[in-house]
Amino acid sequence: MRIFWRTFVLLCLPILTACWHGDSSNMMTIDLSGRWEFRKAGDTIWLEASVPGTVHTDLYKNVLIADPFDRDNEKRLQWIDKENWEYRKTFPSDPRLLRKDKLILSFDGLDTYAEVILNGQVILNTDNMFRSWEVDIKDLIRKKGLNDLRVNFTSPIEAVKAHYDSLPYHYPAANDRHDEKYSVFTRKAPYHYGWDWGPRFVTSGIWRPVSLVAWDNARIESLYYKQKLLSDTSCILDVELEISALKNCQARITFKIQNDSARVLETKQISLKNGSNLLTVPIEIRNPKKWWPNGLGEAFLYELITEIKIGSETLSASNHIGLRTIDLVREKDQWGESFYFKVNGVPLFVKGANYIPQDNFLNHVMPTEYSHLLHSAREANMNMIRVWGGGVYEDDLFYHLCDRMGLLVWQDFMFACSMYPGNTEFLASVKAEAEDNIKRLRNHPSLAIWCGNNEIQDAWHQWGWQNQYTEVQKKEIAQSYQAIFHELLPEMVSKFDPQREYWPSSPASGTTFGQTSNTESGDLHYWGVWHSRLPFETYGEVIPRFSSEFGFQSFPEYKTICSFTLPDERDIESEVMKAHQKHPAGNELILNYMERYYPVPEDFEEFLYVSQVMQGEGIRFGLEALRRSRPRCMGSLYWQLNDCWPAASWSGIDYFGRWKALHFQAQRAYEPLLISFQQDQDSLQVYLVSDLREEIAGKLSLQLMAFDGRIWYHKEMNASFSPLKSIPVLKISTDDMMVGNISPEECFVVAKFSPQDQIVRPGIHYFEKARDQKLPDVIPEWELLEKNGNMLLKLSSPSLCRQVYIRYDGETEIRFHENYFDLLPNEVKIISIHKREREEINSDKIRIFVLNQLSPTKPR
Ligand code: BMA
C-alpha cells in the first residue's frame, strides 16, 4: 500500500473542497468522519477505525492483516468479504445543532449493504455504494449525553448468494476479465471483484464522509446552471434551483460573479412555500469568456455565488462554471457517420486515455495523487479522460481538477462487461444512483458525455454470451438491458442534464439496442492487437470514427516491482510476479510480441525495460495512425491511463504515479503539431497534423541518415500545418531515398520543421523493427550539470541510441523531464530533472538503458 498521512488529507481536504461545495451561513455542518471503531460481527473487542475507509484498510492499520498489495497476500485475504462488520462512533449533541429546525445525518457513500442504527433505532438500510443518503434525526438525537451511531455491514457476497443460487439461470460472467458471479446484483464498484489489471478485494466500509447537517428556514437542495445561449457577446444561463423550505416565506435571491469583484448579475424577490420549491431564474453574463479544453485555449472558470436572504439569514452556494458549447456531431459522410465533439464550434480531435480508480481502497487516494495524475494527463497534451464503467463515479475533486485543467470527461455509468437484472427493486436503485450522480456532476464544464456502460452491448451480441440461454431467458435478459440502458438512464439524463449527450454503450455504432460497434459509425474498442494477437501494424489499417479503447500491457519499472517482491521473486514467472499479472495470457502475450518486434533480454530488469519500450512505441504507432486519419477518425482514448495497484498492466502511469514509456510516447504523439509518417509498399508519406486553429508555415527538411550519422538523402521544401487538419505533404519512393549501399536495417528518416523547431518535434521513421535493426554498439555519454540551482542531465552520442531510458536508483524520487527517447547521431540533449528541493542526486545511481546495448538476449 502507498504510505498515506491521514492528517495531511484531513488538513488539505477542507481547503480544497471549500472552493466548490455549496455552503450557507444559516447552515451548520459537523463532520463525523475521522476516528471510529470497528469489529468483526460477533467479536467482543472494538478496534480503532478510520472514516472514510474500508474494512481492509482498518484491519491493516491494526496490524491484523499484512499489506494487501504486498507479494501474493491477496489470496490470503479473501475471507474478509465473507464476514459481516460493524462500525460505531459516539458523539455529543452540540446545543447549537439542537437549536436548528432541521437536523440530518448525511452519508456521502456507504459500501454497500449497511444498516444504520442511531441510539438503538434502525434509521437506514442501504444497498448501493454509489448513492448518498440522508436521514432526518431531529427526533432521535439525544438532548444530553452521547449519541451512539452504528453502521453494520453485511458481507456483499453473503447478501446476494442465496438469491444468486436460487435463480434458474445466471447472468453472463465476463470471459476472462473478472470473476463477477455475485457482482451483478450489487451496486458496487465492479473492479472490486477483480479485473484483468486489478486484484479482488471486495470491500465494505464508510467510504465517503459522514456529517451532521442542520439548518433553519430553508436549504438549497440542488442548483443547476443550464446554459441557454452562448455567443461572443452574451451567455444566458437558466439557474434551476430546488429549495426545501420549512415554512412559507419571502426571500431575496442574488447571483454574483465572485472573480469580477462580486459583480451582481441578478437579484430578485421570491416567495417560498413550506416544502419543496422549484424555481428557474435566468441570468446573463455579458461578453463571456469561454472555457476551452486543453490545447485550444484557457479553461476559464467563473465563480458564481448564489445567495438567498431570508430575514437576517443567508443561504449561499458557490460553483465554478465554465461557459462552452459542446456537441456530439453524428452526420452522414463518405465513411459512414461522423462521431466527434465540437467545442465552441471547433471540431476537436480527442486525445486522452481511459481512467480506472486509483486504488482498490479509495480512501488511500490523496488529493495530491489526483492532482499529479491529472496534471500528467494535461502535460501529455490530453484533452479528454474516459471514466470507465467498471470503477466509481469519481470524487468531486477529480471533476474539479478536470474543469481547471481543460480535460473533458467521458463519463460511463458504472456498469461493465456483464448483463444486469431488470427487476423493479434493482431499477429503482439504479434510478436513485443516476439522479444522485447526474445532479452532482452536471455543473462541471469538463463533463462532455454520459455513457450507459462499458462493452455490454457488444458482449451480448458478439462474445457468445447468448449461447447458454433458452429463447425465453435471452428475451428476459435483453429486456433488462433495454430497460436500464435504453429507457431508464437516457430518461434520467434528459430529465436532469438535458443538454448533455447520452450514448448507450461504449462501444456502439448507434443508439438503438443491437447497433454493435463498427468502423463506420460511433466509437470502437479495437483489441485486434493484444486480445486477438494481431500485429501492431493493424493500428494503421483499422480506422474507427472514434477509438475509445485500444492498448497493450507492460511491466512497471524495477523500483515499483521492488515494492511488492522479495529479491528472489524478481522473475516474470515467480508466483508473486504472476499474482500481479491479472491477465491470464499476459506474460505469454508480452513475450510473444517481444519476439516479433524486439530483442528479448534474459535479464529481468532489461526485460521490464523492453516491455515498456514495446508498449510505448506500439501504442504511439496507433495514436499517430489515428491522428493522421483525421477527420475520418476524431478521437483516441487508449487503454489505460493509470493503475489501482502495482502490477503488469496496460497503464501508462503506474500505481506510484511513475510515468512509463507509454506516457512519454503519448505526450509526443499528442503534441498539437505532429510530423508523422506512413510507410506503404514502396513509398514513404510525410503527414503534417495540426490541432491548432491557426496555420503554421515553415520549411520541412527530410534526411535519410545512417545510424552512424552519415546523411544519404536530403530534401527541403516549404510546407505548412493547416489548421485542424492532417495533410500528407510529401510522398517519396523508398528506392529514391535508399540509393547506394545503405540497407533498411541501418538507417532512418528524420523530418524537421523550421523555424518552428521549438514547438515541432522532429519526426523519426524506421524501416525495420528494432529486432532486426543493426544498432551500433554505443551508449550515450552523459554528465550532470547545475544551472541556476536546477539539475540537468546532458547526453550525447556520435551514433543513434534507440530508446534511451535513464533510471535513478537512489532513494530520492526524481523524474526526468524526458525519457524513453531516441538520441540522434551527434545530438546534444539536455534534460531537466524534477526532484524535491534540497535532495541530492548521486550520479553513481544513474543508470542508462538503450536497445543498442542489451546483455545477452534470448536466441531466436
Ligand atoms: C477493455 C476494458 C476492460 C479491460 C481491458 C483490457 O475492454 O473495458 O474491461 O480491462 O479491456 O482487457
Side-chain angles (χ1 to χ4, degrees), residues 775-780 797-801 850 852-853:
L775 294 172
D777 187 13
V778 289
I779 192 152
S797 159
S799 307
L800 175 82
C801 288
V850 276
N852 305 50
Q853 272 193 359

Side-chain angles (χ1 to χ4, degrees), residues 177 195-197 386 388 416-417 454-455 463 525 527 530-531 549 583 639-640 650:
R177 294 187 189 194
W195 216 267
D196 58 4
W197 34 258
R386 172 174 174 234
W388 167 77
C417 301
N454 175 69
E455 292 184 341
W463 294 6
H525 294 185
W527 284 104
W530 186 265
H531 287 298
E549 273 189 24
H583 189 264
W639 185 266
Q640 67 199 66
W650 294 261

Side-chain angles (χ1 to χ4, degrees), residues 212-227:
L212 291 169
V213 187
W215 72 93
D216 292 319
N217 295 326
R219 172 165 86 145
I220 302 172
E221 300 290 348
S222 80
L223 186 60
Y224 174 32
Y225 291 93
K226 191 167 162 188
Q227 192 181 285

Side-chain angles (χ1 to χ4, degrees), residues 45 133 166 186 191 196 218 327 353 410 436 521 546 559 600-601 608 615 696 703 717 737 757 781:
I45 298 174
W133 311 86
S166 71
T186 304
Y191 82 107
D196 58 4
D327 302 292
W410 171 306
D436 278 3
S521 57
F546 189 102
K559 222 182 207 175
V600 183
L608 304 179
Q615 179 197 30
I696 308 284
Q703 292 177 333
M717 61 185 275
M737 271 189 293
D757 43 4
E781 289 187 5

Side-chain angles (χ1 to χ4, degrees), residues 26-304:
N26 75 326
M27 188 177 286
M28 198 179 152
T29 304
I30 291 187
D31 191 4
L32 290 185
S33 307
R35 204 179 149 163
W36 280 57
E37 288 183 311
F38 85 119
R39 67 178 179 190
K40 187 156 78 134
D43 281 1
T44 44
I45 298 174
W46 289 92
L47 300 160
E48 195 176 324
S50 294
V51 169
T54 68
V55 169
H56 291 74
T57 46
D58 288 331
L59 287 168
Y60 177 63
K61 274 180 95 181
N62 282 281
V63 205
L64 291 171
I65 59 167
D67 180 346
F69 290 174
D70 194 29
R71 306 187 61 242
D72 52 356
N73 289 344
E74 176 197 358
K75 65 178 183 213
R76 283 178 285 278
L77 300 177
Q78 296 304 314
W79 59 273
I80 300 170
D81 62 51
K82 319 294 181 296
E83 300 289 343
N84 301 331
W85 299 90
E86 299 174 352
Y87 280 73
R88 76 169 183 194
K89 184 179 184 87
T90 50
F91 62 91
S93 295
D94 186 314
R96 288 168 306 163
L97 272 188
L98 298 177
R99 281 199 293 273
K100 296 275 179 194
D101 293 337
K102 190 91 174 175
L103 176 57
I104 267 173
L105 176 61
S106 157
F107 291 95
D108 288 355
L110 290 168
D111 172 15
T112 291
Y113 295 105
E115 180 186 60
V116 182
I117 303 165
L118 180 64
N119 298 331
Q121 195 162 317
V122 177
I123 56 168
L124 177 68
N125 278 292
T126 72
D127 59 0
N128 187 328
M129 173 187 182
F130 304 122
R131 290 190 57 189
S132 52
W133 311 86
E134 286 194 344
V135 195
D136 190 334
I137 55 161
K138 179 86 182 148
D139 297 334
L140 258 183
I141 195 151
R142 291 194 176 124
K143 310 284 173 283
K144 282 202 185 88
L146 291 175
N147 291 282
D148 178 35
L149 177 59
R150 293 184 184 228
V151 184
N152 296 340
F153 292 96
T154 303
S155 146
I157 305 303
E158 297 303 323
V160 295
K161 212 167 169 205
H163 177 54
Y164 178 89
D165 293 340
S166 71
L167 288 177
Y169 62 83
H170 292 145
Y171 291 87
N175 56 14
D176 52 11
R177 294 187 189 194
H178 71 314
D179 158 30
E180 57 173 64
K181 212 162 130 190
Y182 298 118
S183 72
V184 296
F185 304 105
T186 304
R187 293 309 299 143
K188 170 174 172 62
Y191 82 107
H192 284 171
Y193 297 81
W195 216 267
D196 58 4
W197 34 258
R200 182 185 185 284
F201 289 116
V202 189
T203 53
S204 284
I206 305 170
W207 76 292
R208 281 184 167 158
V210 191
S211 51
L212 291 169
V213 187
W215 72 93
D216 292 319
N217 295 326
R219 172 165 86 145
I220 302 172
E221 300 290 348
S222 80
L223 186 60
Y224 174 32
Y225 291 93
K226 191 167 162 188
Q227 192 181 285
K228 288 289 277 185
L229 176 138
L230 177 64
S231 71
D232 289 342
T233 50
S234 171
C235 176
I236 311 253
L237 298 167
D238 267 353
V239 191
E240 293 183 5
L241 292 127
E242 199 182 324
I243 301 168
S244 304
L246 300 175
K247 56 179 185 232
N248 295 342
C249 57
Q250 291 301 307
R252 173 154 285 275
I253 188 162
T254 306
F255 299 94
K256 296 181 196 164
I257 300 185
Q258 188 65 18
N259 42 357
D260 188 359
S261 318
R263 178 160 63 93
V264 173
L265 291 172
E266 179 68 81
T267 177
K268 68 189 275 190
Q269 199 66 27
I270 52 171
S271 313
L272 297 175
K273 61 172 186 342
N274 187 0
S276 174
N277 296 264
L278 295 177
L279 70 147
T280 302
V281 185
I283 59 173
E284 182 180 13
I285 299 177
R286 295 264 173 85
N287 302 319
K289 219 171 151 181
K290 289 180 185 160
W291 182 96
W292 289 95
N294 184 26
L296 280 183
E298 187 191 350
F300 183 81
L301 296 173
Y302 284 93
E303 188 183 353
L304 292 190

